[in-house]
Structure formats: structure tokens, C-alpha cells
Amino acid sequence: MGGKTNRYRLVYHYYNGNKKTFSLDFEDGSHRNKFALTEIDAFTSNFSNEEELAKAISLVFPGYEKGYFTIEYNSGGHLNALELVFNDMNFIRKLATENLREALVPKSSITLYMNWFLNKIEKDPEFLTFIFSRRYTNSYFINVLSKYLMLKNSDEKDAQNSLWEAKASLIREFKRYKTIRGLEVGRHNYELIKQNKKIVRNPSELTELERAKIEYNLNHPKKVEKRKRPKKSNVIDGQLPLFDASPYTDTSIVENKRLKR
């Protein structure tokens, strides 16, 4: 799918203030630096953390050192950032891989998760407060969910008659990959906090200066001379490949490559 689906960038921010946008050049002359969110997630979820991801990419595209990754996209004239998902988020990894390059997922893929989520917020209201306060979802989803919960818990006859429509709207929201991804990232971070573990820096907490610099660079790209890059393998239909993490994380393979140089 094209259009707004391919609007996400995998961006590496150096601690010195510079940045590097991940991109791919193809033999037919085409160039891509924007991808579907499912493509990026299916790729990054092969790895256990940012360090491992940066090390893997650097084997093919050098220069990913002393910084951190974000996923960035423009919406309503504003630059937004998302944190990455890694291989400890099995549900999102599976959902992204099975729905590569899609913005919507089948109802059959999310029904069990939606039921789990509704049961979770009923038993643990603090979890819902965490999701809303940390902006893991948008206001539209909040309104749809709030309406469903209000009707579900109402004894009014008219409310019960409208419940089916409210549930249908909620299902449509859960079918949006980005929505369910945000909820799952929130769940993951909520569990880390409950275990007194540290959450990786949230990209949505960028300072105004950082945000302004990112927006300026996006809107005023530097013209650079195209360079021929080595032929890339495993490119699926001209899209971002799903990397097998083992060649990049197996130290014996890396050492053998170095000896051959």
C-alpha cells in the first residue's frame, strides 16, 4: 500500500545533535527512506535492543554509533516520534510480520487481544490511566473506548441497544495497527515500571528545541550527490527486508568476516 501508509522514517539521532535517516537504494534507481510502520517493526523486532540493531545495520551501512533510534512521521503539520519495538514484544512482532505494509489488520488477529485489554482495564484501572496519561494512544480511541465502557456499564435500556454499535466502533479502532501497537508498547512499559525497571527514553518527550531542529531538517533536506551502493540482498518486492538477526549477532560470523578483509 502507498500513500500515507509509507510515511514512517527510522531515524538515528547522534548525541552531538546530528541525525541519520535509514534509507535503501535499489538497482532500478529507486530510493526509499519512508516505510510502513509494520515494515519497520517487523525489521527491528528481530533484535533484542538498540545496541544490537545499530551493530547489525552498521555491518552494511556504517555510522550508527553514539546515538539512539526513533521512528518519526508527520501528522497534521507536526513531527511525531515513536519508540521502537524489539523481540521481547512477541504479539506486535507477529502482527507486523503477518500484515506487512498494511495499516489495518484483520478482526481475527486482534479479537483475543481486545478482549484481554478490556478485561485488563476492568481489573486494573491504573493501567488505563497509565495508557492515557503517557499518550500511548490518541483522543479518538479514548473517546470510542470511553463511550463503549459507559454504555456497557449502564442499566439504561437505550444504552444497551446502542452497545453493539459502540463495540463495532471499538473493533474498528483495534483493527488499526498503529492503535494496537501503541497499546502494546504502553503495556510493555507499564509492566517494566511495576517491576521497578527503567523505561528507555520516550521519543515523545523531545524538547521543543530538539523537535524544531528535526522539523527543520525534514522540511529543508540537504541535496547530496547520489553514490552507488553495494548490491543488497534479501530485498522483498522492493520493500524493506525482514532481516535474519543471527548473522549480525553471531560474534563468530562477524570475526570471520573481519579476518577475510
Side-chain angles (χ1 to χ4, degrees):
M1 294 177 65
K4 292 184 178 180
T5 303
N6 297 332
R7 62 174 180 161
Y8 298 90
R9 300 172 187 259
L10 181 60
V11 181
Y12 194 72
H13 297 268
Y14 295 98
Y15 295 131
N16 63 9
N18 295 326
K19 72 169 189 174
K20 186 184 189 73
T21 300
F22 179 82
S23 63
L24 292 173
D25 291 329
F26 300 93
E27 293 181 347
D28 62 0
S30 60
H31 174 84
R32 289 189 67 196
N33 60 13
K34 292 183 180 180
F35 306 93
L37 187 55
T38 49
E39 287 182 293
I40 296 177
D41 287 347
F43 173 42
T44 63
S45 61
N46 282 294
F47 307 96
S48 60
N49 52 47
E50 282 200 45
E51 183 180 0
E52 194 174 277
L53 171 63
K55 187 182 298 183
I57 296 180
S58 292
L59 290 177
V60 183
F61 307 101
Y64 291 87
E65 297 178 351
K66 298 181 180 179
Y68 62 94
F69 285 102
T70 61
I71 298 172
E72 296 175 1
Y73 67 101
N74 279 304
S75 178
H78 299 284
L79 183 71
N80 298 284
L82 301 172
E83 55 192 285
L84 278 62
V85 300
F86 295 105
N87 61 13
D88 58 343
M89 297 184 64
N90 294 324
F91 178 71
I92 288 299
R93 181 180 184 181
K94 182 174 184 293
L95 196 65
T97 303
E98 292 178 350
N99 297 278
L100 204 61
R101 296 182 290 276
E102 299 293 343
L104 301 177
V105 299
K107 178 181 176 181
S108 58
S109 298
I110 55 86
T111 300
L112 289 177
Y113 184 88
M114 186 181 79
N115 292 336
W116 170 85
F117 178 84
L118 294 174
N119 185 58
K120 173 70 173 176
I121 62 176
E122 183 177 352
K123 293 182 177 180
D124 186 2
E126 187 180 342
F127 169 60
L128 185 61
T129 301
F130 178 85
I131 292 291
F132 286 177
S133 63
R134 299 298 182 97
R135 298 182 180 179
Y136 288 109
T137 187
N138 57 35
S139 59
Y140 189 79
F141 175 82
I142 293 174
N143 291 336
V144 171
L145 177 62
S146 298
K147 182 178 180 180
Y148 170 79
L149 294 176
M150 180 184 68
L151 293 172
K152 180 176 180 292
N153 296 320
S154 175
D155 294 328
E156 298 275 340
K157 182 178 180 181
D158 291 341
Q160 293 304 308
N161 290 337
S162 301
L163 183 60
W164 69 270
E165 184 178 349
K167 186 174 183 178
S169 296
L170 187 62
I171 290 173
R172 284 195 294 271
E173 285 305 300
F174 269 91
K175 288 173 62 178
R176 299 180 192 277
Y177 175 78
K178 184 172 178 291
T179 295
I180 201 167
R181 178 198 195 268
L183 297 176
E184 184 62 3
V185 169
R187 176 207 60 79
H188 176 266
N189 290 344
Y190 179 75
E191 291 181 357
L192 288 178
I193 287 180
K194 287 294 185 180
Q195 298 169 23
N196 294 318
K197 294 182 179 178
K198 183 179 178 181
I199 297 179
V200 177
R201 180 176 184 263
N202 190 339
S204 66
E205 296 175 354
L206 292 172
T207 66
E208 290 187 9
L209 179 59
E210 289 174 321
R211 210 175 273 278
K213 287 179 66 176
I214 293 172
E215 289 189 357
Y216 179 86
N217 289 331
L218 281 176
N219 296 323
H220 300 81
K222 294 180 180 180
K223 292 183 179 181
V224 295
E225 185 178 349
K226 289 187 176 180
R227 296 182 303 170
K228 289 185 178 180
R229 293 181 175 177
K231 182 178 178 182
K232 303 173 185 63
S233 59
N234 298 327
V235 177
I236 303 175
D237 299 327
Q239 304 291 336
L240 183 68
L242 300 184
F243 279 54
D244 177 5
S246 57
Y248 307 127
T249 56
D250 189 329
T251 55
S252 64
I253 295 177
V254 174
E255 290 299 324
N256 287 336
K257 286 186 177 181
R258 290 175 178 170
L259 292 175
K260 291 180 180 179
R261 291 179 180 175

